[in-house]
Structures are given as structure tokens and as C-alpha cells.
Amino acid sequence: MADSPELPQAHASLHQLRTTLQSVLFGQEHLIDLVLTGLLARGHLLLEGLPGLGKTELVKGLSKALGLEAKRIQFTPDLLPGDITGNPMLQETPQGRRFVFQPGPVFANLVLADEINRASPKTQSALLEAMQERRVTVMGESHPLPEPFFVLATQNPIELEGTYPLPEAQLDRFLFKLEVRATTAETLEKIVLNREIGVEPVVPAVMNAESFGALLQLTRSIFMPQPVASFIARLVHATQPGEPHATGVKHGASPRAALALAAGAKAKAVLEGRPNASYEDVRAIAPAVLRHRLILDYGAKIEGLTPDLVVQRLIENIPAQDKPLPTTLAAAKV
Amino acid sequence: MNQEEIRQQWERTIKRLARWVNLGWWLERWLPVLMAVCIVGGLTWFALRTLARPEVAWMNATIAGLVVIAMVIAWIAARRRFESTSAARVRLEDAWQLRSRLSAASEGVGEWPSFPEQQPALPITWQWQRPVSVLGFCIAILCLGAWMPVPARQADKAHVIEKPSALKQVEQWVEELRKEEAVNPQNLAEVEEKMEELLRRPNEQWYEHASLEAADHLRDQTGKDLQELGAQLEQTQGSLSTLAELGSHLSEEAKSGLSKQLENQLKGLRSGAMQTSGDLAEQLKNMEPKACNGMSKEQMQKLAERLKQNAEALRKALANAPQFSFKECKSCNKPGEGEGDKPGQGAANRGRGDADLTVNEKETNLNTQATDKLASMIDPERVTPGDLIGLQDARPTAKEDFTGPQSGGSLQSTGDGGAAVEKATLVPAERAVLKRFFK
């Protein structure tokens, strides 16, 4: 159960993991927290940021700390689906010449899909299918992916030429879309003092696949109070076009977004050692969950409205308690 | 503090929050109804004050009742919007950033969070402007309805026209005398009939000059009659008492004089405008002064006592009219019966007032040079020929330098038929006015 003694232990392990990752990636505490939250929610993450901000380092550090197998795929326009999923190779076997499936790089616990938007849509869809189904089908034969399986994709926001932006329907498969922001001068100073080009940092393994699996199981058992579920439902519903706080939104978030919010809130609760999800957890992960699921109309884009601004507006205006107060009373900020 | 105590503390706080929110909902429903009640109440109050004299206590009770009914209706209407404890719990845990711990703990998941030592304020603030302004408006409109001046003309209409004071005084006498049975009811009925005749006129005419004069006259006449009756009763009682006390000691001549006086008094009582009532009147009517000789002392004292009681009842009834006191009854005094040792001065309404002539060194001063004004309020400026404005006793003065008859002069114009015998002459101011008019 959620209030079992495993929870403090899990909290301690996750704290250690967080500290370890912070020693690899300086000044990205919030990003690390969100990545860990996404992983605990069994979700795939899309990281958007400029090159050199530590995205690959983060994935590498994460794989080492978690004791998971990690692989990196650099997406290019000429990358074929088989280069990801793997190809049947004609081989000499005791039974004669046969096609034997050679697993591609997607067969790993942690896959870093670098610059995913540079691959052709066909290749992208191969990866997205693997993400969704957690198995690969080649020549009519399905090959399950290892458990746990996470994809951490990155995309570069400034290179538009020769890129294939992910379709909205496929973006929906990512649990979180995270923005990797540039570091501050103090952080850069810390990096200069502690890191060296070409030398990889030593990351100790904090847990193994089994203990991480237990954490994932624990996350699923976190209690979701009915008022929090109601809040999630109202928040997602409020993104639909025509709703009062969704002006400028062309397409709102799908039910999958509500599920993502619920899973993310539970993961955040585990990260904080709590047996229940809360409104604060939902608010904390809402931008990461909703920003790639809201499609704005052209008018809103021209006016400078961004999905983040819409999400912010929704968070401010959708209360945890939907019952209104009488006009003789006003909600006070405590 | 154990978990149970913490739970109770949290639930108390949650219920307190729910109560405040519910009070807000109730106020939200009550204020418009209250405003409607106060507007209707204020207008009704004002209308009642304009048309009639409202009973303030009744109005207060009605408005208070309506307000209470409005409270109940508002509570019923607001009840469906009342905040449940679970809703208040969500509101509280969200505002106090308790990370849904209260909701989880109430479901048995996790422990209740420790209650803060310094309890933060509840996550609601009152917006007092609206309730206060509505209450102020209600009080103002009720005050206006209760105290705003009503137009004078309408207020007068609302007033009942009271009887003239003279009639009220007579009415009081009649009531008192009927209660005491001091005067013959027939006499009282006659007085009442006269009053009714005066009151039968329209109310607006009660205070006209003629009506007031008639009312005053009725009062004066009735008062005077009662005064006379009272005085005669007292005198008769005095004579009877004297006869009872001193009857055996008096000489025959004195006794005869006293009997004669008693006879006169009894005659006066029988012939007066007002008569005593009941068996006393009957007894006095059949009583012969000579019969007094046959009456025992006790019988005479008893009769005297009854006469005294009757006189007292009259005195009591006339207590509100000092001018009709028995002592002031000048017309009741015969010459020589008044107080003091000076002769009577006489007057237009009570005879000459002659005094017995005495032989002294100084002549009797009859004060014949004094004039006596009429008691009636005749305006001397508006007297008409024939009105008596005064009397004067004076010795005729003979004109000693008589020179014999003289010619009376001659007429300048004898006047023809229809001709003006008096020519009007205009004063300069009138002439100037006429000149200006015709200019």
C-alpha cells in the first residue's frame, strides 16, 4: 500500500539518485526532478534545448545511476526504421540459412533519441510505435522491448531546415516535454572547475533495474484522492476550445493528458515521500504535460500566446475546489 | 498529541470554515429578500402614516415577523448551496498547501498532518461592503417610512376632530352627576340632547364662531344652573341644621323667621332649572316647612346630611370649573347675605343692590358715580342702536343759564325728489387716485 514502510525507503533512494544526478548535471535541479518524475510515471520524455546543455550527459548519468542499459540513437534524415528497431539478417544457422532478427538500438532500458526531429516521419513513427506498444514487430514477428523501457528524445528548436517536426498526434505519446534551459554564470563556473572535455564523470550506481522496478510499482500504488482527480479532470477539460480560459486554443488536451497528469502527480508524490497525490503535484507537472498537447490557433500565435502561457493561465484560474464562494466572501491567499 | 486529537482538531477547523461559507451563502440569499421586505415595509409604513395613525408596535411586529420569515426562506433557498465538510476540507488543504493530506487521511491513507501551533487565518475574507450597504439601505428606508414628515394637509385629514372643550366639560359634568345620582336624570338628558344637537352639525363647523358661542353658552348655563342648585342645597342644609340644633332654644319669632327662610329655599329648590334626583327630590317636593316642626332632630339631621352629600357631589362634579364654585355664586346671594359688611354694589344682571339706610353722621356712600360695564363681550365699536353698553346713576344737572327759545337756522337746500342732499367731497389723496385712474 501507499503508506507502507517502503515509502520512506523509496524517498531516501530517490533523494540519493537526485543528488547523484545533480553532481553530473550542474544547475538543472528542476529538470532532474522532472526527468525522475517522468521516469517514475513510466513515461517517455521529450527534451527540447540547445546543443551542449547536458541532455546526453543526463541520460548517460541516469543510466549509470539506475544501473540500466542505455543506448543513444543520433537521428539523421537518412536514418531508416530498421536502423532503430533492428533488421532481419540472413545467417547460416544449424537449420540452414535463415533470417535472424538483429535487435536495433531501441532494445535498451533507456534510449536517447538525439535530435528526433531530423529523421524522416517514417523513421519517427517506427520509434513512436515502439514507445507506445513497448515492442517491435519486424516481418510479422513481435519482439518485446526490455522492462523498463524509456525513450528520452531531444530536439533542437533552432534548426528548422531539413527537419521533420513531430506530428501532434505523435507528440501526445510523450509524457513530458521538458525545456532544457541555459545555465547561469555561477553554474558555468562550477562546470569549468569540475569538468573536463573528453573525461566522463564517474557516476555510482544508486539502484538496479529490480529496485527501480519496485519504485515504479510503488508509484502506481500511490493514492489519488477524489478531489485531486476532479481537479485533473477540470484542468484538462478547461483546455478544450470554447472553455473560458482556453481562448486561442485550437485543439485541447486529450484524455491521455489527464492520465499523464495523474501518473505524474503520483510520481511527484513518491519523489517527495508522500502517500498521496496532491493539487500541488498536478500544478507542478502541468506545464510539462500540457505544453506539447495544446495546439494554438494562428491568431493566438501572432499575438504571442504560447502553450506555456495558456497552461499558466489555466493553473491560476482553475481552483482545487470548483464550488464557488458567495459574493460576500472571497478566497484569501494564505 | 495523538492522531485522534489531531483529527478532531482538523475537523473542527474544517467545520468552522464550512459554517462561515454557509453563512455567506445564507447572507447572499437573505439580503435581497430583506431589501424587498424593507422597501415594502417602509412604503407601507409611510402610506399608513399618510392615511391614518398606524400602531407602531403592530408595524414593528409585522416587519420583524417578515424579516424572520425572510431568514427562514433564505436558509431554505441557500441550503442546497451549502458547503459540505468534504468541500471545505478541499478548500482548506488547498489554501494551506497541505498537499491533499487531509483528503488522504480522511480516506485512511497516511497520517493526519500535525496541526499548526499558530493557526493561520481561514482561507476566506469577508466582503462586507455589500451586506453593510444593504443593511444601511434597509435601516434608512425603514427610518424614512417611520419618520419622514407626512404632508400637513394629509396629516390633518387623518386627525379626528375633537369636540369643543366647553362641550367636553359639560359631558364630563353629566357623566359625573349621573354616576353620583346627584341631579334629576331628566335634567341631565335635556342637557345631553342640547349637546347632541350641537354635535349633530358637521365636524368642520364645530369650531365656527357661532358653534363655539353656542357651546360656551350651554356650558355657562348648565354650570350656572348646577351652581345654583348646589348653593341652594347648601343653604337649605344650613337652615335645616340650624333648626335641628337650635330648634328647641329658638323663640317662636326666630323659629318662624327660620321656617320662612326654609320655605323660600325649598321653593327655590323646586323651581330651579336643575333638580335633585330620586327620593330626595320627592321628599323635598312634598315637604312643607311647617312640617319641620313635626320632625325629630335626628330626622332633620339625616335630611341635612343627605342635602350635604348631594351638594358635595355637585361640588365634585364642578371641580374642573372654578368659576362655578358655590362661593362665587353672586346671584345666589340676596342683599345682605353676601360676605363682608359693605352694602351691595348692584349690577346690570343682579338688580340694584340697595342697602338698608342707616342714620349716621356720614351719608351712606352708594357709589352711584361708578359705572358698571356689561358682562357680555360687546364690542363697543360695533354696537348697534338699542344695545345697552352701560349704566350710570347720576343726579340730573339743571341748566341754570336758560336763555329762552332760539331760532334753529334755515335749510340751504330743501332737496327735490331723488336729488342728492349730501354732496361728497374728496380728500386730496382720493382725488389724486381718481386722477391717476382716468389718466
Side-chain angles (χ1 to χ4, degrees), chain B residues 3 71 181 212 247 278 417:
Chain B
Q3 276 292 299
M71 284 175 167
E181 296 180 353
L212 287 175

Side-chain angles (χ1 to χ4, degrees), chain B residues 40-54 59 145 150 154:
Chain B
V40 172
L43 290 175
T44 310
W45 205 334
F46 183 74
L48 284 176
R49 284 178 56 228
T50 309
L51 301 173
R53 285 173 180 275
M59 279 303 297
V150 178
Q154 291 175 346

Side-chain angles (χ1 to χ4, degrees), chain A:
Chain A
M1 281 300 290
D3 50 347
S4 64
E6 294 168 12
L7 197 58
Q9 198 181 341
H11 178 58
S13 303
L14 287 167
H15 180 70
Q16 197 180 355
L17 176 63
R18 189 192 287 159
T19 311
T20 306
L21 290 175
Q22 283 169 1
S23 68
V24 177
L25 195 65
F26 300 123
Q28 299 283 9
E29 290 80 7
H30 183 62
L31 176 70
I32 291 168
D33 278 357
L34 283 171
V35 166
L36 288 180
T37 305
L39 293 182
L40 286 173
R42 296 164 63 90
H44 306 290
L45 311 179
L46 177 62
L47 295 118
E48 189 175 82
L50 296 172
L53 288 177
K55 297 187 289 287
T56 313
E57 280 306 310
L58 173 66
V59 176
K60 281 183 185 171
L62 200 58
S63 66
K64 285 177 186 168
L66 291 174
L68 300 174
E69 185 191 1
K71 284 184 179 168
R72 178 172 180 266
I73 308 167
Q74 179 64 51
F75 278 62
T76 54
D78 58 349
L79 191 73
L80 295 173
D83 298 337
I84 300 169
T85 58
N87 287 309
M89 304 289 286
L90 193 61
Q91 285 187 353
E92 285 289 343
T93 61
Q95 289 82 24
R97 280 187 175 181
R98 290 210 172 174
F99 281 103
V100 178
F101 178 70
Q102 293 293 319
V106 78
F107 284 84
N109 296 117
L110 212 57
V111 176
L112 174 61
D114 219 355
E115 296 182 283
I116 191 172
N117 55 340
R118 295 188 70 186
S120 67
K122 190 176 179 182
T123 310
Q124 288 173 357
S125 64
L127 177 67
L128 293 168
E129 185 192 347
M131 285 161 60
Q132 180 69 21
E133 305 293 332
R134 294 185 188 270
R135 64 170 178 259
V136 170
T137 304
V138 179
M139 292 182 70
E141 193 179 345
S142 289
H143 305 277
L145 294 171
E147 277 289 331
F149 174 70
F150 300 106
V151 174
L152 277 79
T154 69
Q155 65 178 10
N156 193 334
I158 54 171
E159 282 189 37
L160 295 175
E161 273 187 46
T163 61
Y164 303 91
L166 290 172
E168 282 78 10
Q170 293 190 353
L171 276 175
D172 197 30
R173 308 258 168 94
F174 286 100
L175 185 80
F176 288 175
K177 180 184 177 187
L178 304 174
E179 286 181 350
V180 185
R181 298 181 192 282
T183 50
T184 61
E186 289 79 17
T187 308
L188 284 173
E189 185 185 335
K190 204 172 171 184
I191 292 168
V192 168
L193 289 172
N194 292 283
R195 302 292 295 277
E196 198 177 336
I197 289 178
V199 180
E200 291 212 354
V202 179
V203 180
V206 176
M207 56 182 75
N208 55 31
E210 191 184 345
S211 57
F212 188 67
L215 272 181
L216 295 179
Q217 198 59 37
L218 179 67
T219 305
R220 292 174 76 174
S221 69
I222 286 293
F223 178 66
M224 169 65 65
Q226 184 273 329
V228 180
S230 163
F231 177 57
I232 290 172
R234 282 183 286 112
L235 190 66
V236 172
H237 183 71
T239 63
Q240 299 305 315
E243 289 297 314
H245 304 299
T247 45
V249 176
K250 191 175 174 185
H251 297 293
S254 63
R256 191 181 283 154
L259 291 174
L261 277 172
K266 285 181 178 181
K268 189 102 171 60
V270 172
L271 209 58
E272 293 182 2
R274 244 184 304 113
N276 63 283
S278 71
Y279 320 106
E280 289 81 0
D281 298 333
V282 176
R283 289 189 189 111
I285 60 166
V289 172
L290 295 175
R291 67 163 61 102
H292 58 291
R293 292 181 162 99
L294 297 182
I295 312 300
L296 304 184
D297 59 30
Y298 290 112
K301 284 177 186 167
I302 289 168
E303 285 172 8
L305 194 68
T306 61
D308 277 354
L309 287 174
V310 175
V311 174
Q312 193 57 38
R313 194 168 62 194
L314 290 170
I315 290 171
E316 284 168 4
N317 289 292
I318 307 297
Q321 175 54 268
D322 62 329
K323 286 188 80 175
L325 281 171
T327 53
T328 47
L329 289 173
K333 300 284 179 194
V334 179

